[in-house]
Amino acid sequence: MDFEANILIVDDDDVVINIINNILSRDHYKTDHCHSGEEALQKVSEKDFDLVLLDLHMGKGMDGYEACKLLHQTRPELPVILVTANQDDESVNRGFEAGSADYIKKPVSRLELLARVNNTITLKQAERKNLQLIETLQKDLNIAANIQQAMLPKWIYLDRKIMFSSYYEPCETIGGDLFDHIKLSDDKYVIYIGDISGHGVQAALLMSAIKSTIRLMIESSEDSKSMARLFTELNARLYNDLFMRNNYLTLLMGVIDLQAQEFRFLNAGHPPPLRLDTIRNEVHIMDEKGSLPLGWLPGTVYQDAEIERIPLVSTDIFLVFTDGIYECTNSEMEQFGIQGLKNLLDHEICLDSCISLPYKIQDYLERKQFEMGADDFSLFSFQAIQPDGMVKYPEGITRRHHLFMHSALKDVANTALECEKVVLAWTRDYVLAAKAELIVDEFLNNIVAYGYKYQEASEIVIEFKVVSKILSIRFWDKGIEWIPHDLCFNIDNPYNFDLDGMEMNGRGIKIILSICNRFNRIRFGSLNETQIEIEI
């Protein structure tokens, strides 16, 4: 044996205990003993045993069946062998129903005792090794999952002219979905999203290799190299060097050209992107062109004619995703599908920002009890931003401004001052700007302290918007879920701070509520969205 086995002998007869102890001690087992089921339960709660030899009929207290059942309930991993003079089928079956692993006949035979004990201990040892192996593998998978997560972009990226937001969840610990955005210049980005066939470790290893390959090819390519040529070279490399003959990759890759105000993309067997027109509240499926997945056939040549071109305007949101969303099923086993996604975006979700869009979709599927674990699940959205923040809607001109900060207390004051300057430049209203600064300062302190527990690596996004004589301030964070208790206060019904004397706890939120007209905080999956409005 690779480990020293401890065996508990439970019998009301000291002669039987001595016989069993003598046999086992000669075979180098360590033993302990007691005389009742009650004592046995007490001993196993105080000491680790590898096996219990339990007499079926003891003169006092509970019988062996009841003791076996209770031992199995409290220590299900601890095997119990019943020692019994009853050899009829009914007694044996009752023992197995109570949770026994085996039984030994009385009078005890040395050969039978050692055979059954050795067999049970060997199984116990194998089970222990398997559990240790599973634990080690799970630790390795968790490390791999953290590494893979680090290879994917942060859930939010905000630049002066564009913003990206994403949600990712593998169906297993690690997965085969890949997506990214790569900045080529101040006015040009490459985005891509792909799905490797299969799941688990193989798909995850391929994902890591392919993601690195794509980045190297993009960063080393000349401007003259088109996406079609890049796809052709990538297909040859994957087919010849990385893929087994049953692997393939669906890939959608596009260039966001902010100067030309164009999004052009090539789709190799991937679900089509969606364009969300926030002016008309319309959803368009961009599926006019497409080609074969990568690695499907050797020698595939992708053509420039397969590239689709779409005008890029700041009132449109683009959504790309993997086919995990197709395979989500409800309680009636109906798949969600792309039409279900389109219907959701058409009728259920307010299309007002790409930042919360992936989380609104995930939250809806979760609330409607769709099963999302059949495949890796990725949602990736982006939206261009007007550099001057001015966007023309049917109801008039809207001003928008976005800020990004890490959840560090040292950055709160400067961020609040920047917000004050933005509002003052827009409105020339010093009182309104001061209110905005106060709101941002107090609320960011709450997010950092209570939402993120001072985790400085986390992200917060702030949006300022002025439309129809309303200043709207929105915050997005992925901290804990919390909602202020006293939402009854507002500018028309302010909190009376004289009543609480010097009490400081909760004053920040009460100040915010007392100077704003409307306050709303809601959680979409793991994302908090807070909207505060002040009438101008």
Side-chain angles (χ1 to χ4, degrees):
M1 292 183 298
D2 292 339
F3 71 99
E4 195 174 55
N6 295 309
I7 300 175
L8 176 64
I9 306 168
V10 187
D11 202 297
D12 61 346
D13 189 336
D14 285 330
V15 174
V16 174
I17 291 174
N18 289 333
I19 293 172
I20 294 175
N21 183 61
N22 288 336
I23 295 172
L24 295 178
S25 60
R26 291 176 186 175
D27 219 53
H28 308 293
Y29 286 108
K30 292 183 66 176
T31 65
D32 196 353
H33 68 272
C34 61
H35 298 93
S36 68
E38 289 84 357
E39 291 180 75
L41 288 166
Q42 182 64 32
K43 278 187 173 290
V44 299
S45 69
E46 298 171 348
K47 182 179 177 182
D48 286 333
F49 291 96
D50 300 292
L51 175 63
V52 176
L53 296 175
L54 178 63
D55 184 23
L56 192 57
H57 297 291
M58 289 172 281
K60 60 179 181 178
M62 65 180 72
D63 62 13
Y65 296 122
E66 187 178 356
C68 181
K69 186 176 181 179
L70 292 173
L71 285 169
H72 186 67
Q73 289 175 352
T74 56
R75 292 280 304 279
E77 79 286 355
L78 178 61
V80 176
I81 295 179
L82 294 178
V83 183
T84 175
N86 298 340
Q87 302 173 27
D88 59 281
D89 291 342
E90 182 180 354
S91 298
V92 172
N93 289 337
R94 281 189 65 192
F96 287 134
E97 289 173 356
S100 70
D102 207 340
Y103 71 95
I104 296 172
K105 301 187 295 292
K106 284 186 177 182
V108 175
S109 159
R110 179 180 182 278
L111 185 62
E112 181 185 15
L113 174 64
L114 290 178
R116 295 190 185 276
V117 168
N118 288 338
N119 181 59
T120 303
I121 293 296
T122 301
L123 290 174
K124 174 78 173 177
Q125 183 180 12
E127 180 183 359
R128 180 175 295 183
K129 287 182 177 179
N130 287 337
L131 289 174
Q132 290 173 345
L133 177 60
I134 291 171
E135 184 178 348
T136 300
L137 289 173
Q138 189 58 56
K139 287 180 180 178
D140 290 342
L141 283 174
N142 290 336
I143 292 171
N146 290 334
I147 294 172
Q148 188 178 58
Q149 189 70 46
M151 294 182 67
L152 295 171
K154 292 283 190 180
W155 72 272
I156 185 67
Y157 175 89
L158 182 65
D159 207 343
R160 189 171 63 89
K161 297 180 181 180
I162 196 164
M163 52 188 173
F164 300 92
S165 179
S166 60
Y167 174 85
Y168 167 70
E169 186 173 342
C171 67
E172 299 177 14
T173 307
I174 49 180
D177 283 3
L178 61 156
F179 58 90
D180 207 350
H181 49 79
I182 301 172
K183 187 173 183 177
L184 302 179
S185 68
D186 287 341
D187 295 305
K188 195 174 289 185
Y189 286 81
V190 170
I191 66 110
Y192 67 84
I193 186 167
D195 185 2
I196 300 163
S197 58
H199 307 292
V201 174
Q202 183 194 43
L205 290 172
L206 287 172
M207 173 269 192
S208 302
I210 293 169
K211 197 170 186 300
S212 299
T213 300
I214 290 175
R215 178 171 281 274
L216 286 172
M217 292 181 71
I218 290 173
E219 292 179 345
S220 63
S221 67
E222 300 175 0
D223 291 340
S224 59
K225 183 183 289 187
S226 71
M227 275 188 292
R229 182 180 166 192
L230 189 148
F231 271 53
T232 300
E233 293 179 5
L234 182 59
N235 180 74
R237 190 173 298 184
L238 295 181
Y239 191 89
N240 295 325
D241 300 334
L242 284 178
F243 281 172
M244 306 293 286
R245 289 299 173 256
N246 61 341
N247 289 124
Y248 62 89
L249 167 70
T250 68
L251 182 68
L252 187 148
M253 182 181 292
V255 174
I256 302 170
D257 193 331
L258 296 166
Q259 185 174 19
Q261 295 184 328
E262 180 183 69
F263 175 48
R264 50 188 180 270
F265 66 90
L266 199 159
N267 189 349
H270 199 78
L274 302 182
R275 180 175 68 85
L276 285 54
D277 184 338
T278 63
I279 296 288
R280 298 178 178 85
N281 287 317
E282 295 175 349
V283 178
H284 303 276
I285 302 174
M286 307 281 91
D287 58 355
E288 292 184 5
K289 299 180 180 181
S291 191
L292 291 175
L294 295 157
W296 192 276
L297 290 174
T300 301
V301 178
Y302 296 87
Q303 305 291 335
D304 288 338
E306 297 169 332
I307 295 174
E308 192 165 347
R309 300 172 184 271
I310 304 171
L312 190 67
V313 296
S314 62
T315 54
D316 285 348
I317 299 172
F318 289 87
L319 177 68
V320 294
F321 47 91
T322 54
D323 64 0
I325 199 165
Y326 291 167
E327 299 177 19
C328 295
T329 54
N330 60 17
S331 56
E332 282 77 38
M333 299 306 294
E334 298 169 336
Q335 287 195 337
F336 189 57
I338 193 168
Q339 194 57 47
L341 176 59
K342 185 178 184 302
N343 291 338
L344 170 63
L345 297 172
D346 275 330
H347 305 295
E348 300 284 345
I349 290 180
C350 179
L351 306 178
D352 56 356
S353 174
C354 86
I355 295 174
S356 56
L357 180 62
Y359 296 87
K360 288 180 177 179
I361 296 171
Q362 180 264 336
D363 179 69
Y364 173 87
L365 293 172
E366 196 170 80
R367 284 188 292 104
K368 296 299 182 180
Q369 298 183 331
F370 277 85
E371 174 56 51
M372 295 186 287
D375 198 358
D376 300 330
F377 190 90
S378 298
L379 295 163
F380 186 31
S381 64
F382 66 90
Q383 184 175 10
I385 303 172
Q386 289 280 18
D388 60 3
M390 295 182 64
V391 183
K392 188 173 182 180
Y393 286 94
E395 61 270 22
I397 299 293
T398 293
R399 287 185 175 273
R400 290 189 311 188
H401 183 73
H402 295 85
L403 298 98
F404 170 88
M405 66 165 280
H406 290 290
S407 57
L409 282 178
K410 60 183 176 62
D411 296 333
V412 168
N414 288 335
T415 302
L417 286 173
E418 183 179 350
C419 295
E420 182 182 26
K421 291 177 182 178
V422 169
V423 175
L424 185 59
W426 284 355
T427 65
R428 301 298 179 185
D429 186 330
Y430 287 90
V431 175
L432 182 64
K435 286 183 179 181
E437 188 273 337
L438 181 59
I439 287 172
V440 172
D441 186 87
E442 293 291 347
F443 200 71
L444 286 180
N445 274 291
N446 271 274
I447 294 176
V448 173
Y450 301 112
Y452 280 127
K453 305 294 185 184
Y454 301 101
Q455 298 174 20
E456 294 193 2
S458 303
E459 302 86 15
I460 303 169
V461 182
I462 311 165
E463 177 196 72
F464 275 82
K465 185 164 65 173
V466 172
V467 58
S468 301
K469 299 296 182 179
I470 296 291
L471 171 63
S472 170
I473 310 172
R474 281 200 290 185
F475 301 83
W476 289 278
D477 70 89
K478 297 188 75 174
I480 64 171
E481 183 176 9
W482 61 271
I483 296 176
H485 299 295
D486 301 323
L487 291 178
C488 57
F489 302 112
N490 56 47
I491 197 168
D492 297 320
N493 180 36
Y495 181 76
N496 187 347
F497 292 95
D498 293 334
L499 296 178
D500 60 18
M502 299 300 293
E503 176 64 39
M504 299 299 295
N505 187 38
R507 288 176 70 93
I509 291 296
K510 291 169 182 174
I511 290 171
I512 293 171
L513 293 171
S514 297
I515 63 175
C516 73
N517 296 90
R518 282 171 292 279
F519 181 100
N520 183 54
R521 183 168 170 87
I522 189 170
R523 189 173 177 91
F524 302 109
S526 59
L527 182 69
N528 297 307
E529 179 181 284
T530 306
Q531 184 165 7
I532 300 169
E533 293 183 353
I534 305 175
E535 294 180 3
I536 301 174

